[in-house]
Amino acid sequence: MSGHVIRLIPEDNYKLIPAPHIIQNLRSLLDDCSIFCDIHVFDSVQFIDQGGNFEYVACPFCSEILDVAWWQEEMSRSFTHNFEDLSIHMPCCNLRTDLNRLKYHLPAGFARFTIESKRNEKELTDLIPEMEGHLGFKLRVVKARY
Ligand SMILES: [Zn+2]
């Protein structure tokens, strides 16, 4: 089956799960706006990929486009520890960062909490400022094509 999925994840804190009452408020907000979507909380950190929208990954410091084989190796290494530690050492400019801060084009990221919709992309993105107000943190938009 092919299709488009939009997922919203915390911009910075990939381990963050909002408190149950905040998730409840968010659910009510989405239901009130008749937005068809699912809120997921995962047991461990997941890579929230962009599927067929993957073009490249670049360094957040020097914008160098990264070797995909290098990135995949770092992903595999981190995955063996359930993505608990995403820290990496950039081969291009020798600085330290983490896999969640790389510049994914199109965007992707890591999360234990996602808001996901297959139908209401525009309605969901229009509501981002209000959702961020409820959640108290910025959201990253991951658009996937499979
Ligand atoms: Zn660099």
Side-chain angles (χ1 to χ4, degrees), residues 12 22 24 36 41 44 68 77 96 110 118 134 138:
D12 294 315
I22 294 180
Q24 234 161 44
F36 182 84
V41 171
S44 60
V68 174
R77 191 180 53 78
R96 295 199 71 84
F110 293 80
K118 292 185 173 75
H134 278 267
K138 287 274 174 198

Side-chain angles (χ1 to χ4, degrees), residues 29-84:
L29 171 71
L30 291 160
D31 289 347
D32 289 348
C33 299
S34 304
I35 296 178
F36 182 84
C37 69
D38 294 310
I39 296 175
H40 294 289
V41 171
F42 301 104
D43 291 337
S44 60
V45 176
Q46 308 287 310
F47 179 55
I48 309 302
D49 70 284
Q50 69 287 69
N53 286 333
F54 177 93
E55 289 175 25
Y56 60 86
V57 191
C59 173
F61 306 110
C62 71
S63 300
E64 171 111 350
I65 292 177
L66 302 166
D67 179 34
V68 174
W70 175 86
W71 172 70
Q72 282 171 339
E73 203 168 300
E74 293 297 320
M75 288 289 284
S76 308
R77 191 180 53 78
S78 184
F79 182 65
T80 59
H81 307 286
N82 295 316
F83 294 133
E84 276 297 305

